[in-house]
Amino acid sequence: MGQTADLSVDVTQRLDAAPQPFVVAPSFDVALPPGAIVVLFGPSGAGKTTILRQLAGLERPDRGVIRAGGATWCDVGRGVWVPPQQRRVGLVLQQPSLFPHISVRGNIFYGRRASGGADAQELSRLLGSLGVDAWLDRRPRTLSGGEAQRVALARALAHAPQIALLDEPFASLDTPTRTRLRGDVRQLLRRTGTPAVFVTHDRAEAMALGDRIVVVLAGRVRQVGGVADVFSRPIDADVAAALGVEAVLAARVVAASGGVLTIAVGGRTIHVAEREPLDVGTNVFACIRAEDVTIEMRSPAHASARNHLAARVASITTEGVFDRVTLDCGFTLDALITHQSREELGLVPGAEVAAAIKATAVHLVPLA
Amino acid sequence: MDWDALWLSVRLAAATTTILLAIGIPLAYWIVFSPRRWKILVEAVVALPLVLPPTVLGFYVLVAIGPNSPVGRLYARLVGHGLPFTFEGLLVASVLYSLPFAVQPFSAEFAAVDRRLLEVSWTLGLSRAATFVRVVLPLSVRGLVTGIVLSFAHTLGEFGVVLMVGGNLPGATRTVSISIYDAVQSLDYAAAARTSFVLLVISFVILTATYSLQRSAWVKLRT
């Protein structure tokens, strides 16, 4: 991965924040192909925003190097520092932060005089796809939260940034607006070929948008990888706790009827209670908690029973009063059971069993 | 009614306010945005005229611009006469005396501008100076107007500093407040009353006009 990295960060910065100093020292390499979204994921206060500000040139690391797209933005040892004005980043914050004294048009065209930006045709497509072209003469004050955030996105993308830097841009919006905007942003970044770094503490958002995910804990990067990889195989207990204890499986909706969706996962199908309508063909992540997976001895009756998957026990590890049984059923699935159940079932690695999952225990996150 | 004195005061106030705009805006900008720790000292020095008696300030200015100081001697050599008891000398003293009335409203308003707006502007390619002109200044109209009016009104009404530095030369340093004092000293209460009333009306009109203008400017900006 390191040799083709388009974004390479290895810096240290001490912040004199109350109540005690905090060190943000991210170190990661990640590819940024056109339209790709890298999610910086972690709990609140982990330092995600500071990392984004370091990328934008708004925070100055005490030491280290930041390289992006072949250019060195920061190399403290060699005295290299590119100011935010010359990094060509498109910054969108949780608050729209529109200039209140100028119109929507003035806001969108604000940076273009200084930095050039998208050509007229591309710009009008951009405004159309974000739906902001109808509000150009309005004042920022008259916009709703979702509208203002669309204008902020248009302003950031209108100057054709090399990288879009998005800091929880949807966090203060209501759920329907957020979901719609998520899809629009994904499409827009793809169409314009703009790579993005996206900060969020929201798991569903990280799964829906992330091509790569960078897990940030206590000011440090703990894991980098694809969404399914990182969620399914956290490298240690801290990361697992931050990510939540669920199997996250890449899946696809193959049928929908009577409030039940059928999803295909690793050559198997699982029935899922439909919480929100999803079209057949939608790519999703299926999240299944280990507590919701039960293990039964395999019998002929199971072959036709719903959500009973033939499985082989891959490994068993003890976690306190529970045993974590890792099953191979075409994909990897964990079940958390008591020692007692394990003994009653006589489970050992290699045993042939059936994994049962309740249709209501599977949570689906559609990809944006 | 001493119209000469009033005209002199208005000229002095206008000149003082113009100079304060020119040096107050950069000074306020530096105080708000500089990372230097010792800017606190500069802030304190700027605020000194608020607490010092005008006579103390006037005394130091008089000494500083007098014929025994290097500044005073240099000025005398360049211009041909000394600064004390001239309009220019009065102007120097007035600028110092009204400095906090301009710088404090300016800096308070600059500091109130949402920092995120500045950062977004920088990432959009605008320099710090351009960002200041296009974002900070327009959003600080209220503080700028307040500073201008306070400086003007404060200079119009100053007395102690004028007496120390300017003396009482008709047409050169005899301002309206000195004129009123003189009239009272010579028991010409009628003249003192007329001049006082004119000054009262002018001050009241200026302040009323400012506050109404400020409100509409404010409303226009924020809505």
Side-chain angles (χ1 to χ4, degrees), chain B residues 89-124:
Chain B
L90 211 53
L91 191 56
V92 171
S94 295
V95 165
L96 290 174
Y97 187 43
S98 290
L99 197 57
F101 291 84
V103 171
Q104 289 192 345
F106 294 172
S107 58
E109 204 76 355
F110 294 169
V113 173
D114 187 345
R115 227 190 135 71
R116 286 173 293 200
L117 298 180
L118 311 187
E119 294 179 342
V120 167
S121 173
W122 299 338
T123 63
L124 290 170

Side-chain angles (χ1 to χ4, degrees), chain A residues 73-164:
Chain A
W73 278 351
C74 168
D75 186 341
V76 178
R78 286 180 26 228
V80 177
W81 174 257
V82 177
Q85 284 87 351
Q86 286 155 32
R87 295 194 183 190
R88 287 197 81 90
V89 295
L91 186 66
V92 182
L93 308 172
Q94 183 177 343
Q95 298 305 317
S97 305
L98 301 178
F99 304 115
H101 57 297
I102 48 182
S103 65
V104 167
R105 177 185 281 107
N107 268 277
I108 292 169
F109 283 78
Y110 182 87
R112 288 173 57 78
R113 221 193 305 168
S115 60
D119 64 47
Q121 197 187 349
E122 178 52 41
L123 186 66
S124 75
R125 276 186 79 188
L126 170 74
L127 301 189
S129 61
L130 278 168
V132 301
D133 41 3
W135 317 322
L136 289 176
D137 294 315
R138 282 169 64 181
R139 289 264 155 184
R141 185 191 65 87
T142 66
L143 303 172
S144 72
E147 289 170 348
Q149 203 55 283
R150 284 174 181 273
V151 175
L153 281 161
R155 177 177 65 181
L157 294 175
H159 85 134
Q162 192 186 343
I163 303 179

